[in-house]
Amino acid sequence: MTSQERHEARYQRRKAAREARRKELLDEALDFNKVFTFPHLYHSAQLCFRGVSWKASVQSYKARCGINVARRLRDLRNGVCTLRKCPEFYIRERGHLRRINSIHIDDRVPQKCNSYYSLKPVLHRTLVYDNYASQEGKGTTKARDRVKCMLERHIRKHGMTGGMIVFDIRHFFDSIQHGLVRQVMDRYYDDKWIIGLNMKIIRHNRTDVGLVLGSENSQDFAISTPSSLDHYIREILRPDSSGRYMDDGIIIHHDYEYLKGVLEAITAYAAQLGFTLNEKKSRLLHFGEPFTFLKRKYSFTETGHIIIRPARESVVRERRKLKKLARKYDEGKIPFQTCRESVQAWKASIDGTECFQITQSIDKLFIQLLIPWLVREEAYKPCTTKSYQVDKSSTFATA
């Protein structure tokens, strides 16, 4: 046996051992009959009730929960998976028109069970650490903390030299190929029933391309299908730091010229997966130039101090929203409490940024629009909206 043959034999033994260990740990998540059981479906139904118990369809399902779960389990075990037509509606979010599908509670329960007991245990194990979306213990706060950690580490090691790539995938959910999802399922699953059920779910409202917004299964596939791009960046291109949150990503490296080739490489690799980088939002920057990532603007001082502020468009949007709330309050459509809670929620969302002057300007606008009877001297004092009361005689004044 030659040296190359010994290396190949050793690799195959290790690969077989890893696969056996994976199947042992994920035994229940890889078997259709162990995933879809009455206790699992019933627990998934209780999870689906959270926050939507006021809906008539949910109340009707909840009243006969045990019977509905048993009926659904019987149909799944018999190979019958009838999905209801999902109502479609459109919302305009930050200037983008988004197509949303509302999943009926009768279909949401088995999809929640599929996600909670199968997709998440199996697919989340394959993700890189710096993939932050739709995972327990992660999220936008974790992503922002990691980006700050990457920047600080780079400054300590390389100073203000090098560069970074900030990229965005254009029409992310609408660009995910169903064939790519099938490749992911075939790679990690052997059970044809689980594969068939998931492919039927994603093809129910889309033909060959795109995932619906509103399904938890879509989020699981959205973070796992481009995972090969994360591994390609981390293991083949090997920059100093990299991370991705859904369609937004960042790459940091000490060699600016090397990043030019990295940008071309990830553009070509993303095209192989069916994705297109947004040319307006994907940029190659010298380290130290200000940039925006996940609605936070990062800038640097000459000494390397990192300044994090809310993105300007977020502040502008909040001021416009506050003016609309003030008009509705004047018309008697909403109570004062709703306006105050809205402002407090937005201020909490930008907590951790250097935003003292921004919050003061929002407080000042709040007072001018909603509490005009305050004396002018008080309006210019440092304040929070919690410290003011309104006239109790007003019908909607409930401070």
Side-chain angles (χ1 to χ4, degrees):
M1 182 180 291
T2 63
S3 175
Q4 185 176 2
E5 292 174 344
R6 286 197 302 271
H7 290 169
E8 179 64 22
R10 190 182 305 120
Y11 167 73
Q12 293 299 333
R13 288 196 301 271
R14 291 176 177 174
K15 182 178 179 181
R18 285 196 300 268
E19 184 66 18
R21 194 182 312 115
R22 185 182 76 89
K23 289 184 177 181
E24 181 181 356
L25 293 173
L26 303 174
D27 178 51
E28 293 188 356
L30 298 173
D31 190 341
F32 182 89
N33 292 325
K34 293 182 180 180
V35 170
F36 294 98
T37 61
F38 185 88
H40 287 179
L41 284 170
Y42 193 85
H43 177 246
S44 300
Q46 303 304 314
L47 296 177
C48 290
F49 296 155
R50 294 179 179 177
V52 292
S53 294
W54 55 271
K55 292 185 178 181
S57 60
V58 176
Q59 293 176 2
S60 177
Y61 187 95
K62 191 175 182 179
R64 306 177 72 233
C65 183
I67 297 175
N68 290 327
V69 167
R71 175 183 52 81
R72 196 63 166 179
L73 177 60
R74 180 198 61 196
D75 292 343
L76 289 171
R77 291 287 178 84
N78 292 333
V80 179
C81 181
T82 304
L83 300 176
R84 299 195 182 194
K85 184 178 181 181
C86 300
E88 291 185 358
F89 60 93
Y90 293 85
I91 62 172
R92 187 171 293 279
E93 181 184 19
R94 298 190 293 271
H96 300 284
L97 189 64
R98 305 191 186 278
R99 177 186 174 188
I100 311 296
N101 289 86
S102 177
I103 310 297
H104 193 271
I105 184 65
D106 196 38
D107 294 335
R108 192 144 40 94
V109 170
Q111 290 187 28
K112 168 70 78 171
C113 182
N114 177 44
S115 174
Y116 192 82
Y117 291 101
S118 180
L119 295 181
K120 282 183 170 60
V122 174
L123 298 182
H124 287 192
R125 288 168 52 89
T126 67
L127 306 177
V128 298
Y129 179 77
D130 288 308
N131 187 336
Y132 315 107
S134 300
Q135 299 173 68
E136 186 176 358
K138 295 188 179 181
T140 54
T141 301
K142 177 71 173 181
R144 290 162 182 157
D145 291 342
R146 283 291 295 168
V147 169
K148 184 178 179 181
C149 177
M150 294 175 187
L151 296 173
E152 291 174 343
R153 185 191 306 151
H154 181 91
I155 292 173
R156 287 195 300 268
K157 191 172 183 179
H158 304 288
M160 300 298 290
T161 61
M164 66 180 70
I165 297 174
V166 180
F167 66 90
D168 176 85
I169 301 177
R170 186 171 179 267
H171 296 163
F172 182 58
F173 272 81
D174 292 334
S175 301
I176 297 177
Q177 306 283 336
H178 292 183
L180 185 60
V181 177
R182 182 57 186 262
Q183 292 178 14
V184 173
M185 295 298 298
D186 289 338
R187 181 177 180 181
Y188 299 111
Y189 287 91
D190 296 327
D191 195 315
K192 294 183 179 180
W193 285 58
I194 293 182
I195 297 175
L197 175 63
N198 282 280
M199 296 309 298
K200 184 172 184 178
I201 290 173
I202 67 171
R203 288 171 178 167
H204 180 56
N205 296 287
R206 301 290 187 271
T207 53
D208 295 323
V209 182
L211 300 178
V212 299
L213 292 174
S215 172
E216 188 170 357
N217 292 176
S218 297
Q219 295 188 14
D220 293 326
F221 290 128
I223 63 174
S224 58
T225 48
S227 180
S228 60
L229 176 62
D230 300 331
H231 286 279
Y232 175 73
I233 295 172
R234 184 65 60 88
E235 298 161 12
I236 305 300
L237 301 178
R238 300 180 67 83
D240 293 339
S241 304
S242 65
R244 182 175 64 87
Y245 185 95
M246 280 298 182
D247 56 338
D248 296 315
I250 183 171
I251 301 173
I252 304 173
H253 195 62
H254 63 274
D255 188 351
Y256 180 82
E257 295 298 325
Y258 178 72
L259 286 179
K260 294 180 180 179
V262 170
L263 182 58
E264 296 177 357
I266 64 173
T267 302
Y269 194 90
Q272 295 178 9
L273 301 178
F275 298 111
T276 304
L277 297 188
N278 192 322
E279 295 182 357
K280 293 183 179 180
K281 298 181 179 180
S282 301
R283 298 184 299 159
L284 172 60
L285 306 171
H286 289 280
F287 194 90
E289 293 185 47
F291 68 95
T292 302
F293 184 74
L294 295 181
K295 306 305 176 186
R296 293 290 185 268
K297 183 178 180 180
Y298 296 81
S299 56
F300 305 85
T301 64
E302 294 180 357
T303 59
H305 175 65
I306 303 172
I307 302 174
I308 305 176
R309 295 189 179 95
R312 183 179 181 276
E313 58 182 15
S314 300
V315 181
V316 173
R317 192 182 309 111
E318 179 61 23
R319 295 179 68 88
R320 291 174 180 172
K321 179 181 178 180
L322 184 55
K323 293 176 183 178
K324 292 180 181 178
L325 290 175
R327 286 197 295 268
K328 290 185 178 182
Y329 171 68
D330 293 337
E331 295 170 0
K333 295 181 179 180
I334 58 174
F336 176 82
Q337 184 77 4
T338 301
C339 303
R340 189 177 70 176
E341 289 176 352
S342 175
V343 175
Q344 290 295 336
W346 181 80
K347 290 169 66 176
S349 70
I350 63 173
D351 187 32
T353 62
E354 301 185 22
C355 56
F356 178 79
Q357 294 182 351
I358 294 174
T359 54
Q360 289 298 298
S361 67
I362 293 294
D363 285 338
K364 179 180 177 181
L365 179 63
F366 179 88
I367 294 169
Q368 292 175 347
L369 295 175
L370 295 168
I371 322 178
W373 42 267
L374 281 178
V375 294
R376 183 177 299 275
E377 289 77 7
E378 289 185 349
Y380 282 90
K381 292 180 180 179
C383 60
T384 65
T385 55
K386 287 185 177 180
S387 59
Y388 294 97
Q389 304 291 329
V390 296
D391 187 4
K392 299 289 186 179
S393 62
S394 175
T395 304
F396 291 92
T398 55

